[in-house]
Amino acid sequence: MIPVLILAAGQSARMGGSDKLLQFVDGQPLLRRVASAALQVSDAVFVALPPGNIARLDVLEGLAVTPLALPDSAEGMSGTLRAGVAGLPDCKAFMVLLADLPQITGSEMQQVIAARATAPDKLIWRGATAAGKAGHPIIFDASLRAQFAGLSGDSGGEDLVRPLRSQTHLVRFDDDRARLDLDTPADWAAFRSMKE
């Protein structure tokens, strides 16, 4: 079973005071929805959280996930990845998933997991748009794990994955769900109007 690390330690700084991960999608808070989907494909789901964020912790209540309160998340995405990956158990590969992707479900995660078996010569397997733009979910071979310890700044894992493009297998979804994140109230309003 591949562990899943959900990145949910951001500050929602562009939401004007509200928390994007607590916005409702299909009748439940986005963070709970994403965590529930991850549990469909793995029994080892870890959620990276900023220390002291009780509201996010509360929406995970009753789910068999492991919260990781990460002080390093104050540094940005790289700090979250560095500490979050360090908190995962020993494994042959692990999945990383942004928490603010409202259209990613267990189906997309399973497709990326399946790609690891069909393209075993690669080191990274990740979701992509229909046009082939790389996105999430992302599975990393465990041989790359040590490289996460050196991440810094807010570029996240891009500095790690960019040199490995030839070692990356893309799983194209039929739309842009691999990259559709909702960072602002305007993004959420557009998303909700699209679903109506």
Side-chain angles (χ1 to χ4, degrees):
M1 191 69 70
I2 292 178
V4 178
L5 175 64
I6 298 173
L7 304 180
Q11 301 300 314
S12 285
R14 298 168 60 195
M15 281 295 291
S18 61
D19 189 337
K20 64 183 176 181
L21 298 185
L22 303 183
Q23 301 295 308
F24 274 65
V25 176
D26 297 332
Q28 58 185 326
L30 177 56
L31 178 56
R32 186 177 183 88
R33 182 180 185 277
V34 172
S36 297
L39 287 168
Q40 295 173 18
V41 301
S42 177
D43 58 6
V45 177
F46 298 79
V47 184
L49 296 167
N53 193 313
I54 303 303
R56 290 184 188 175
L57 191 60
D58 283 350
V59 300
L60 297 170
E61 186 175 357
L63 295 181
V65 302
T66 301
L68 300 174
L70 305 178
D72 288 2
S73 65
E75 298 176 29
M77 183 69 76
S78 293
T80 300
L81 279 168
R82 189 175 64 242
V85 169
L88 297 177
D90 288 340
C91 55
K92 293 183 178 179
F94 55 93
M95 178 182 288
V96 173
L97 177 65
L98 294 174
D100 62 352
L101 300 172
Q103 293 186 312
I104 295 295
T105 68
S107 174
E108 288 76 31
M109 295 181 213
Q110 189 58 55
Q111 288 177 59
V112 178
I113 290 171
R116 183 169 164 259
T118 58
D121 57 322
K122 302 299 184 182
L123 294 175
I124 299 173
W125 303 263
R126 65 188 303 186
T129 67
K133 289 188 175 182
H136 280 251
I138 309 176
I139 293 177
F140 294 93
D141 187 81
S143 65
L144 300 175
R145 187 167 180 168
Q147 296 187 36
F148 282 84
L151 293 179
S152 62
D154 202 33
S155 61
E158 285 306 311
D159 291 342
L160 190 157
V161 301
R162 194 177 298 113
L164 295 170
R165 194 170 292 173
S166 66
Q167 293 296 308
T168 300
H169 178 83
L170 297 181
V171 179
R172 296 192 186 201
F173 304 139
D174 59 8
D175 56 20
D176 64 349
R177 68 186 54 212
R179 293 173 63 94
L180 179 65
D181 59 347
L182 305 176
D183 290 329
T184 68
D187 290 342
W188 277 97
F191 174 72
R192 287 177 174 132
S193 65
M194 178 182 71
K195 290 184 64 98
E196 288 175 355

